[in-house]
C-alpha cells in the first residue's frame, strides 16, 4: 500500500491542476457565451455550414456615418498663391503683330513660379503681382501689357502646380505621396487611384480621412458602393489606407502555431491545417480538434416609413464551436469543402497521456544543485 501512495498523490494532483497549454477536450462541452450565459453547443463538422458567413451589403449601424461626415463642395478656389506654378502662352492673330515674321502664331513664354512677394516676372510683360489673382484676371493683364507690340493679342494662363492646395496619400498604397488638387475636384477614390491604388483587395482595406483635428474611416468597399462616402477633398487633407488583414489562428498541438493570413473565400479547413503544419504526432488527440468562430448576426433596423423594409443592420457576434475528428475519414473529405472565415481559431487538444506525462515529469526532475563558486572566492 505504501508503494502506491505516491501514485495516488499524483493522481489527486492531476485531477486538481494538471499542467497543460490549453483547455482539455471536455472543457469545450461546458463552454458558455459570456454575453448571454447560454451554453455554446459543440457541432460536428458534418453539421457545420461549409461556406463562410456572407456579410450583408448594409452592415453598418445608423450612427456609423463613415466618411460622409467630411462632406464638402470640393475645392474650387483657383486663386494664385505663393509657390504656385503657372504656364503662359501668347497668341497673336494679327497680320502685322509681334509674330508677323514667323510662321507660328503662338509663343510659349514658359513656366513661372509665384515668389514669396506674390509676383512673377515674364518676358514682354515684366514684373506682375499675381497673388490672389485668378488665371482669367492675369490673362487680361497680360493682354493689356501686349497692346503696344501685338495687334490682336490673346493669352492663356494654366496652373501647372499648386503645392499649397495638395493632399497626401499614405499607407497600404503602391505610390504614396503628395498630389495637387485640380479643377476636376478630386474625391477619395481619385486620390487612391493617383497613389497607384490600394495594395490589398477592397474587402481587406480601410481608408481614413484626416482633416485638421477631425478624422473618419470606412472600408474601401463601402466607399466604392456608396457615393456619399466618396467625399470631395480639400487642401491639406490626409488619406491613410490601412490593411484589414483576414487571418485565422492556430493553437495547441499543431506543428506551427500563430496567426496566418488568407484571402477570403479561398482557404479551406484542409488548407488551414496545412498552413499550421498539421498535428503533432506525439502530442495531439486527433479526434479532439476544434474550430471556434464568432458568427456574425445581422438584425435589421426598420425605416421610419416602412417597418418591413430594413435600411441598415446591427451587427453582433454569436460564438460557435465545431469539432473535427481527424480519425474519421469522412471528416477529411469535409475539410476540403469547409471554408475558413475571418477570425477563426483552430485548437488541437493534447492526448490525455501527454498531460499526465508532463505532471509525472515534474516529480522526476532532480533537485537543483548549488551554483559553482566564483573564481577567487573563498
Amino acid at each position: 500500500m505504501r508503494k502506491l501512495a505516491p501514485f495516488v498523490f499524483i493522481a489527486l494532483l492531476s485531477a486538481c491542476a494538471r499542467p497543460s497549454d490549453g483547455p482539455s477536450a471536455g472543457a469545450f462541452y461546458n463552454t458558455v457565451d459570456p454575453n448571454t450565459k447560454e451554453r455554446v453547443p459543440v457541432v460536428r463538422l458534418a453539421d457545420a455550414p461549409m461556406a463562410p458567413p456572407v456579410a450583408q451589403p448594409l452592415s453598418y449601424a445608423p450612427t456609423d456615418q463613415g466618411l460622409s461626415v467630411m462632406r464638402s463642395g470640393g475645392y474650387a478656389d483657383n486663386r494664385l498663391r505663393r509657390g504656385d506654378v503657372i504656364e503662359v502662352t501668347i497668341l497673336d492673330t494679327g497680320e502685322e503683330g509681334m509674330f508677323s515674321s514667323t510662321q507660328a502664331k503662338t509663343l510659349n513664354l514658359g513656366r513661372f513660379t509665384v515668389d514669396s512677394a506674390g509676383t512673377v516676372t515674364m518676358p514682354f510683360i515684366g514684373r506682375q503681382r499675381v497673388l490672389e489673382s485668378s488665371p482669367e484676371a492675369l490673362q487680361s493683364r497680360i493682354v493689356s501689357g501686349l497692346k503696344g507690340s501685338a495687334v490682336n493679342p490673346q493669352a492663356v494662363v494654366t496652373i501647372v502646380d499648386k503645392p499649397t492646395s495638395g493632399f497626401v496619400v499614405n499607407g497600404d498604397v503602391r505610390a504614396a505621396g503628395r498630389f495637387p488638387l485640380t479643377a476636376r475636384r478630386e474625391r477619395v477614390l481619385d486620390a487612391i487611384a493617383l497613389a497607384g491604388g490600394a495594395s490589398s483587395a477592397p474587402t481587406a482595406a480601410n481608408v481614413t480621412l484626416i482633416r485638421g483635428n477631425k478624422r473618419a474611416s470606412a472600408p474601401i468597399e463601402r466607399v466604392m458602393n456608396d457615393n456619399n462616402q466618396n467625399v470631395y477633398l480639400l487642401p491639406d487633407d490626409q488619406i491613410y489606407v490601412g490593411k484589414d488583414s483576414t487571418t485565422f489562428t492556430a493553437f495547441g498541438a499543431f506543428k506551427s502555431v500563430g496567426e496566418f493570413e488568407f484571402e477570403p473565400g479561398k482557404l479551406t479547413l484542409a488548407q488551414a491545417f496545412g498552413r499550421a503544419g498539421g498535428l503533432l504526432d506525439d502530442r495531439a488527440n486527433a479526434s479532439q480538434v476544434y474550430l471556434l468562430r464568432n458568427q456574425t448576426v445581422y438584425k435589421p433596423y426598420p425605416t421610419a416609413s416602412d417597418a418591413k423594409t430594413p435600411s441598415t443592420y446591427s451587427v453582433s457576434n454569436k460564438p460557435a464551436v465545431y469539432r473535427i475528428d481527424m480519425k474519421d475519414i469522412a471528416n477529411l473529405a469535409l475539410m476540403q469543402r469547409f471554408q475558413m472565415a475571418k477570425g477563426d481559431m483552430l485548437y488541437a487538444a493534447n492526448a490525455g497521456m501527454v498531460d499526465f506525462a508532463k505532471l509525472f515529469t515534474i516529480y522526476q526532475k532532480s533537485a537543483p544543485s548549488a551554483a559553482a563558486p566564483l573564481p577567487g572566492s573563498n
Side-chain angles (χ1 to χ4, degrees), residues 13 62 79 88 93 129 135 149 153 155 192 252 254 264 267 276 279-280 293 295 299 306 316 336 340 347:
L13 286 177
R79 291 177 296 176
V88 181
T93 58
R129 182 171 176 79
S149 56
I192 296 174
F254 282 100
L267 185 73
L279 300 178
L280 290 168
R293 171 178 293 175
Q295 293 186 350
K299 292 184 180 180
D306 186 2
S316 59
Q336 300 177 33
M340 298 292 289
Y347 177 77

Side-chain angles (χ1 to χ4, degrees), residues 69-319:
V69 296
M70 299 288 198
R71 281 180 297 182
S72 68
Y75 182 70
D77 186 4
N78 63 348
R79 291 177 296 176
L80 295 175
R81 303 282 198 274
R82 294 178 178 86
D84 289 356
V85 180
I86 61 173
E87 187 173 58
V88 181
T89 303
I90 299 175
L91 301 89
D92 188 2
T93 58
E95 294 295 333
E96 298 180 357
M98 60 188 300
F99 305 141
S100 59
S101 60
T102 64
Q103 297 295 325
K105 294 297 182 181
T106 63
L107 175 63
N108 188 336
L109 291 185
R111 296 186 177 185
F112 308 93
T113 302
V114 181
D115 60 23
S116 59
T119 63
V120 294
T121 302
M122 297 171 285
F124 305 109
I125 297 98
R127 188 180 181 86
Q128 295 287 327
R129 182 171 176 79
V130 299
L131 189 64
E132 300 294 331
S133 295
S134 66
E136 293 76 14
L138 181 56
Q139 288 172 182
S140 300
R141 290 161 58 186
I142 293 174
V143 169
S144 299
L146 293 173
K147 287 295 186 181
S149 56
V151 177
N152 188 22
Q154 298 179 23
V156 177
V157 176
T158 305
I159 299 177
V160 178
D161 188 17
K162 288 183 70 67
T164 57
S165 62
F167 58 89
V168 176
V169 184
N170 280 314
D172 190 32
V173 292
R174 294 182 174 86
R178 184 177 178 87
F179 304 91
L181 282 169
T182 66
R184 293 178 58 240
R185 296 196 303 164
E186 285 77 9
R187 299 190 180 198
V188 170
L189 291 180
D190 296 326
I192 296 174
L194 289 171
S199 301
S200 52
T203 55
N206 284 308
V207 56
T208 299
L209 175 59
I210 304 172
R211 179 176 296 163
N213 57 357
K214 298 180 180 179
R215 65 173 59 209
S217 300
I220 288 185
E221 186 179 31
R222 184 182 182 185
V223 180
M224 295 174 63
N225 295 330
D226 186 356
N227 193 54
N228 290 329
Q229 299 293 320
N230 192 22
V231 298
Y232 289 104
L233 299 178
L234 296 178
D236 295 327
D237 277 354
Q238 298 181 48
I239 297 174
Y240 181 82
V241 179
K243 185 177 182 181
D244 185 15
S245 301
T246 301
T247 63
F248 76 92
T249 51
F251 296 104
F254 282 100
K255 292 180 181 177
S256 178
V257 297
E259 186 177 16
F260 304 87
E261 288 190 15
F262 69 96
E263 189 172 345
K266 294 187 177 181
L267 185 73
T268 64
L269 180 57
Q271 291 171 323
F273 267 69
R275 292 275 189 92
L279 300 178
L280 290 168
D281 296 338
D282 58 344
R283 278 186 51 191
N285 184 345
S287 64
Q288 301 291 337
V289 183
Y290 299 90
L291 185 142
L292 291 80
R293 171 178 293 175
N294 277 326
Q295 293 186 350
T296 306
V297 179
Y298 299 93
K299 292 184 180 180
Y301 286 103
T303 58
S305 59
D306 186 2
K308 295 181 180 180
T309 305
S311 57
T312 54
Y313 295 78
S314 66
V315 184
S316 59
N317 293 318
K318 181 180 180 180

